[in-house]
């Protein structure tokens, strides 16, 4: 990959370093709570290589990480990510993870459930008054995310974010219609409520009102919103880094804890394999249309009805690089609320290492089938032990 000799503090650094890359750089960030520190590590590796995204698409914690990147100047992005993950980490009062890992993990889990996470969410005591107790649509959740609003307001420059460089898209689920809504800085002004709406996972977090309408976490409908890039108009050649937090492939569970863990992976991995396969087929057909159109005589191609059919073709090529967060040692179904310092550091480090390895290999470089419009590059990972 071409490298720039400019300093990363130079505002033109990212574009110079990315000139040799195949199209716009897109970063797609999946939802997954505490697992999202893996995404921060991936961004750090890209940032250090001078590969800054032109477009970031995120859901839930992915939307939060995306806003921290898009809402800060290039030289401040990594600092803001580190500040956010420092604010939300929960440090144990004793260090016994190596001796009694299960006990410490359970203690951290129950402490998070009962006390919340500083800078992120706090218990909503009224929610425990009874299932029929009227809370109001804007407060109907077991926790309040007011601390998150304050944290994001401190760390994200929304005026800068709305300048559209990089472009930001966050997904949320419309409560009344069950439809996915993508808020895009190219089309609307994004503020802290849009980011919070994308991460408002019920029943823990209350829905967030945007322009008079209530929204829940976008992960309910599409936790890996890659389709936004594939369906963009106009489509562009792209190098898409999709950062996954939930493993779509796993072993058969034999205990209830394993069932709960695998259920989350299946639910939130968001059918990504079938989505990619469908878009590979669709884009291949678009390239086939182009090939067929090239074989027609000019007299045929100029006919209005033929021009309309040719319009369904597309010449763009999209390289999709999938990065998958590893399974930590002793990890279970509570992993998405494991905000312990050790887990955050381990996942961050894994994301950094995986992204650096992919950048070194450059799988998007080479000869490919000319009819392939979507080319998938999967980065294999294994289990990761936490000391």
């Amino acid at each position: 990959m071409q490298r720039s000799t400019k300093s990363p503090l130079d505002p033109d650094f990212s574009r110079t370093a990315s000139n040799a890359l195949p199209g716009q750089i897109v970063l797609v960030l999946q939802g997954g709570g505490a697992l999202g520190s893996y995404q921060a590590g991936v961004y750090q590796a890209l940032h250090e290589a001078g590969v800054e995204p032109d477009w970031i698409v995120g859901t839930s914690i992915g939307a939060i990480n995306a806003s921290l990147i898009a809402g800060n100047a290039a030289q401040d992005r990594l600092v803001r990510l580190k500040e956010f993950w420092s604010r939300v980490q929960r440090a144990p009062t004793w260090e016994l993870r190596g001796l009694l890992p299960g006990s410490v993990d359970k203690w951290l889990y129950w402490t998070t459930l009962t006390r919340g996470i500083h800078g992120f969410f706090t218990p909503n005591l009224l929610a425990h008054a009874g299932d029929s107790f009227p809370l109001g649509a804007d407060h109907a959740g077991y926790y309040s995310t007011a601390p998150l609003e304050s944290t994001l307001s401190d760390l994200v420059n929304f005026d800068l974010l709305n300048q559209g460089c990089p472009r930001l898209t966050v997904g949320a689920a419309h409560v009344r219609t069950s439809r996915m809504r993508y808020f895009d800085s190219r089309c609307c002004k994004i503020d802290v409520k849009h980011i919070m709406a994308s991460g408002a996972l019920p029943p823990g977090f209350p829905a967030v009102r945007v322009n008079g309408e209530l929204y829940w976490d976008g992960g309910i409908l599409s936790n890996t919103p890659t389709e936004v890039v594939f369906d963009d108009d106009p489509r562009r050649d792209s190098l898409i880094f999709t950062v996954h937090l939930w493993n779509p492939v796993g072993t058969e569970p034999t205990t209830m804890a394993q069932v709960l863990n695998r259920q989350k992976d299946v639910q939130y991995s968001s059918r990504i394999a079938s989505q990619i396969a469908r878009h590979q087929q669709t884009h291949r057909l678009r390239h086939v249309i182009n090939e067929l159109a090239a074989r027609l005589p000019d007299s045929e191609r100029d006919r209005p009805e033929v021009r309309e059919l040719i319009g369904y073709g597309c010449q763009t090529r999209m390289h999709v690089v999938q990065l998958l967060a590893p399974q930590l040692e002793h990890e279970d179904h509570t992993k998405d609320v494991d905000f312990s310092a050790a887990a955050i550091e381990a996942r961050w480090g894994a994301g950094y290492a995986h992204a650096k390895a992919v950048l070194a290999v450059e799988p998007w470089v080479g000869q490919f089938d000319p009819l392939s419009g979507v080319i998938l590059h999967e980065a294999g990972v294994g289990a990761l032990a936490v000391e």
Side-chain angles (χ1 to χ4, degrees):
M1 181 174 62
Q2 177 179 322
R3 294 289 192 272
S4 172
T5 57
K6 288 188 176 184
S7 165
L9 300 183
D10 188 314
D12 295 327
F13 174 76
S14 62
R15 177 49 49 220
T16 302
S18 302
N19 281 343
L21 299 174
Q24 66 175 344
I25 309 302
V26 185
L27 189 58
V28 178
L29 305 178
Q30 196 179 67
L35 307 178
S37 59
Y38 176 83
Q39 298 170 343
V42 169
Y43 173 75
Q44 180 179 355
L46 296 176
H47 175 78
E48 290 180 358
V51 182
E52 294 291 349
D54 300 294
W55 185 10
I56 315 174
V57 184
T59 298
S60 197
I61 194 65
I64 291 172
N65 281 330
S67 71
L68 291 163
I69 298 169
N72 284 286
Q75 65 268 23
D76 298 325
R77 292 168 182 169
L78 193 55
V79 174
R80 294 293 185 268
L81 281 169
K82 289 180 178 179
E83 173 64 20
F84 172 80
W85 286 98
S86 175
R87 289 193 188 191
V88 301
Q89 76 177 24
R90 177 176 291 284
T93 54
W94 66 87
E95 289 293 344
L96 297 176
R97 182 180 292 271
L99 298 175
L100 300 170
S103 298
V104 174
D105 291 342
K106 289 179 181 178
W107 179 85
L108 289 171
Y109 173 66
W110 288 110
T111 300
T112 299
L113 290 188
T114 56
R115 299 183 184 178
I117 291 291
H118 176 74
F120 203 149
F121 58 89
T122 56
N124 177 11
L125 299 180
L126 291 177
H128 299 277
D131 293 342
S132 301
F133 188 83
L135 299 170
D138 302 83
H139 303 284
Y142 288 114
Y143 300 90
S144 166
T145 52
L148 176 62
E149 182 171 5
S150 177
T151 297
L152 291 176
S153 297
D154 284 347
L155 301 180
V156 178
N157 182 338
F158 284 95
D159 289 334
L160 179 63
L161 182 153
N162 284 293
Q163 292 180 15
C165 186
R167 175 182 174 188
L168 174 66
T169 303
V170 298
H174 190 217
V175 174
R176 289 193 304 105
T177 63
S178 303
R179 292 183 177 180
M180 193 70 175
R181 171 71 188 275
Y182 288 106
F183 299 106
D184 192 331
S185 64
R186 189 176 69 174
C187 308
C188 69
K189 184 176 181 180
I190 291 180
D191 61 28
V192 68
K193 293 295 185 182
H194 295 87
I195 309 303
M196 294 179 62
S198 183
L201 183 64
F205 299 159
V208 175
R209 196 173 298 277
V210 177
N211 297 328
E213 295 291 334
L214 283 178
Y215 292 90
W216 273 329
D217 191 306
I220 295 173
L221 297 177
S222 180
N223 201 38
T224 315
T226 317
E227 70 270 8
V228 173
V229 185
F230 294 136
D231 296 335
D232 196 32
D233 185 18
R235 283 180 293 274
R236 295 174 55 189
D237 289 342
S238 303
L239 174 56
I240 308 167
F241 294 94
T242 60
V243 189
H244 300 259
L245 306 177
W246 305 92
N247 200 327
V249 178
T251 60
E252 295 181 354
T254 59
T255 67
M256 289 309 300
Q258 292 173 359
V259 167
L260 293 171
N261 187 34
R262 187 70 197 126
Q263 179 266 329
K264 281 190 173 182
D265 275 335
V266 171
Q267 179 179 357
Y268 292 118
S269 60
S270 196
R271 304 185 305 279
I272 187 60
S274 60
Q275 289 178 6
I276 292 292
R278 177 171 61 86
H279 285 293
Q280 284 179 315
Q281 181 183 44
T282 300
H283 279 258
R284 187 175 186 86
L285 290 175
R286 291 187 174 118
H287 281 231
V288 167
I289 291 172
N290 287 338
E291 289 292 318
L292 292 174
R295 299 172 186 269
L296 293 175
D298 291 343
S299 58
E300 284 295 312
R301 286 201 302 268
D302 290 340
R303 293 170 56 189
E305 61 271 27
V306 175
R307 285 203 305 269
E308 181 180 356
L309 295 174
I310 292 174
Y312 287 96
C314 183
Q315 296 181 342
T316 59
R317 171 164 286 169
M318 302 185 185
H319 289 269
V320 181
V321 179
Q322 289 188 348
L323 293 156
L324 177 61
Q327 177 92 11
L328 301 186
E329 191 176 9
H330 307 301
E331 190 172 85
D332 60 18
H333 65 284
T334 67
K335 56 191 175 185
D336 54 329
V337 292
D338 183 4
F339 287 90
S340 65
I344 288 174
E345 181 180 1
R347 293 192 176 99
W348 188 304
Y352 180 75
H354 294 164
K356 283 197 71 172
V358 166
L359 290 169
V361 173
E362 297 181 299
W364 50 84
V365 174
Q367 298 296 317
F368 302 95
D369 181 351
L371 294 182
S372 294
V374 175
I375 301 170
L376 177 63
H377 309 282
E378 296 180 278
V381 300
L384 181 68
V386 181
E387 299 297 335

